[in-house]
Amino acid sequence: MKTAHLRPELSRPHLARRVAAEFVGTGLLVTVVVGSGIAAQQLSAGDAGLQLLENSIATALGLVVLILMLGPVSGAHFNPVVSIADWLIGRRGNGLPGRDLGPYLLAQIGGGIAGTLLAGVMFDTAPALSTTDRASGGHLVGEVVATAGLVLLIFALARSGRSEVTAAAVGAYIGAAYWFTSSTSFANPAVTIARTFTDTFAGIAPASVAPFILAQLVGAALGLGLLFVFYPTAARTAGNVVIPVEAP
């Protein structure tokens, strides 16, 4: 007798739990980014290199922890380009269902903004639109490179069956990309939007947001293109991005 297999969507935690995990995860990620940026600015005034080092280390470590903590619930996307890519390549398989994409994106953006506000409260910094203009040609190329590498890394690890190292690998990549990209590797539309609400070390001016997000989408497309060059059957494991979701 053949054993029946549950459809992928039936083995996932309830959507409300997954959306809550994406909201909290993205929010705490932005809290780490913005909060460590404010702390670095206060503790290492006048030394931009040391400030960036402190900010990048905190972000890399915080991201690892958040992926490990919430990955089994929602996959730990915490990033609209990851969710969009997961939906695109997994439409006929076990990727993110189309009906779940909108709630994921809203949770990520809303969580990111909440994370910025939380960091401001902790450091007694009032919310304010950033005045840091980042939309130069070099910065945009940096965002394309950072996002392409991130998408390629995440989906390649899922396809090659090495999801157990994804948290560490993603954290290491983002930490490194702070330094090898001119944009300091936002690579995340939700984080980009959220960082407009702080006029501190981690801020980005509202006028820079649209060019940054466009560059991130281009980078995501490039990353997916490279993925299918190297791993033609990557769509089969879309459900394992970023971390395989565990049934309740």
Side-chain angles (χ1 to χ4, degrees), residues 79 81 134-150 173 177-178 180-189 191-192 195 204 208-209 211-220 222:
N79 188 334
V81 296
R134 299 177 183 264
S136 70
H139 286 145
L140 298 181
V141 172
E143 279 302 287
V144 171
V145 171
T147 311
L150 178 63
Y173 176 81
Y178 258 80
F180 74 74
T181 65
S182 58
S183 64
T184 66
S185 183
F186 284 47
N188 185 327
V191 170
T192 303
R195 287 169 66 170
I204 177 173
S208 299
V209 169
F212 257 56
I213 292 178
L214 178 59
Q216 290 157 2
L217 293 174
V218 170
L222 177 60

Side-chain angles (χ1 to χ4, degrees), residues 41-119:
Q41 198 171 29
Q42 294 176 349
L43 297 172
S44 305
D47 192 336
L50 183 55
Q51 291 171 6
L52 185 61
L53 178 63
E54 293 161 348
N55 191 210
S56 63
I57 291 174
T59 299
L61 295 177
L63 183 55
V64 171
V65 170
L66 291 171
I67 292 173
L68 291 174
M69 180 170 63
L70 296 172
V73 180
S74 68
H77 292 188
F78 308 153
N79 188 334
V81 296
V82 173
S83 297
I84 292 170
D86 191 25
W87 166 68
L88 280 173
I89 73 171
R91 292 192 308 279
R92 298 181 180 178
N94 60 352
L96 185 69
R99 64 179 177 276
D100 295 354
L101 179 60
Y104 263 55
L105 301 186
L106 291 174
Q108 291 157 358
I109 294 170
I113 294 172
T116 298
L117 299 178
L118 176 59

Side-chain angles (χ1 to χ4, degrees), residues 125-206:
T125 301
L129 292 179
S130 176
T131 57
T132 305
D133 184 9
R134 299 177 183 264
S136 70
H139 286 145
L140 298 181
V141 172
E143 279 302 287
V144 171
V145 171
T147 311
L150 178 63
V151 169
L152 177 59
L153 171 65
I154 289 170
F155 285 87
L157 288 174
R159 180 64 190 94
S160 57
R162 292 177 293 166
S163 57
E164 70 279 359
V165 303
T166 297
V170 171
Y173 176 81
I174 292 298
Y178 258 80
W179 291 90
F180 74 74
T181 65
S182 58
S183 64
T184 66
S185 183
F186 284 47
N188 185 327
V191 170
T192 303
I193 293 169
R195 287 169 66 170
T196 64
F197 294 96
T198 179
D199 195 16
T200 60
F201 181 79
I204 177 173

